[in-house]
Amino acid sequence: MHVSASLPSSSVSPSAHAPGAAPTQADLLDFVRRTAADAELIASLPLDPEGRTWVRLDGPAGSEAWLIGWPPGSGTGWHDHAESVGAFLTAAGELKENSLATRLPTDGWQTLELSEGVDRERRLPAGKGRSFGRDHVHEVLNVSTEHHAVSVHAYYPPLPRIRRYSRAGQVLRLEQVERPEDWQ
C-alpha cells in the first residue's frame, strides 16, 4: 500500500533559523523530533501489514519530509540520498540502521570493494534518531517480527535522486537510480 496524500504538520513549527536559509542537519533533526512527538499525526498514518506506507509532510524551509510506516520485517535495502542532507527519527516501534562509515565516489562506478571496518549498526527505539550528511549510504530495517514501526524523515534539498545498491560481503554494487517521479 502506498499513501500519497500530503498531511500538514500544523502542530510542528518550522525551525528557528534565518529566513531563506537552507535548513541544517540540526534543523532537520529538530523537525523530525518535534514531528514524531505529535501523537495524533503519528496515529493518523494508515498501516499496511504487507508493505511500507508513507505520507508526505510539510518540511521546514523547503525541505522534503515523510511519515513512514514499517510493517514487521520490512526494510529499504542499501541506498543513499545523493546530494541531500537528512535526518530521521523513530516515532513508534524500533528501527535498525546499517550504514557505511566511508564516503563513496558519487558517480562513474558500478562495483566497489569496501574496506574492512566501515560497517556501523544503530538501534533506534522510539524517540531516537540521527542526522546525516550528503551521500550517506545506509539501509533501514524494522527487524521486529510482530510490531509495526513509524518514523519521520526530512531531507534538504528535496531528494534529487536515490541510488540503490546490492551488497554481497564487502562488495557494493550500484543497481538502480530513482528520481522523484519514481516514488511520489
Side-chain angles (χ1 to χ4, degrees), residues 2-20:
H2 163 69
V3 179
S4 61
S6 181
L7 293 177
S9 25
S10 56
S11 64
V12 179
S13 60
S15 294
H17 66 278

Side-chain angles (χ1 to χ4, degrees), residues 7-151:
L7 293 177
S9 25
S10 56
S11 64
V12 179
S13 60
S15 294
H17 66 278
T24 64
Q25 290 178 46
D27 293 330
L28 297 174
L29 186 57
D30 182 56
F31 170 81
V32 298
R33 184 173 289 124
R34 288 181 290 114
T35 303
D38 184 340
E40 187 176 326
L41 177 67
I42 301 309
S44 73
L45 179 67
L47 300 176
D48 183 307
E50 301 299 319
R52 289 190 303 146
T53 54
W54 54 89
V55 175
R56 186 156 188 166
L57 303 173
D58 294 327
S63 64
E64 180 173 349
W66 298 90
L67 180 62
I68 301 176
W70 306 76
S74 63
T76 60
W78 287 95
H79 68 282
D80 69 20
H81 305 99
E83 298 84 28
S84 297
V85 298
F88 70 101
L89 187 129
T90 305
E94 180 176 285
L95 294 172
K96 175 183 168 189
E97 180 197 35
N98 296 318
S99 63
L100 300 178
T102 187
R103 183 178 282 280
L104 302 179
T106 54
D107 288 304
W109 64 275
Q110 285 297 119
T111 304
L112 287 176
E113 185 161 346
L114 301 170
S115 301
E116 294 292 328
V118 299
D119 289 296
R120 300 293 181 265
E121 179 181 308
R122 286 183 176 83
R123 295 250 175 213
L124 300 165
K128 298 292 182 190
R130 67 163 311 199
S131 64
F132 52 85
R134 288 169 172 69
D135 302 309
H136 175 70
V137 177
H138 69 167
E139 67 174 347
V140 180
L141 309 157
N142 178 2
V143 296
S144 173
T145 58
E146 300 176 17
H147 303 287
H148 267 80
V150 176
S151 57

Side-chain angles (χ1 to χ4, degrees), residues 159-164 176-183:
L159 296 172
R161 60 186 172 160
I162 293 177
R163 292 177 290 230
R164 298 210 173 264
Q176 180 180 8
V177 177
E178 297 177 0
R179 307 256 179 239
E181 55 272 14
D182 297 326
W183 65 81

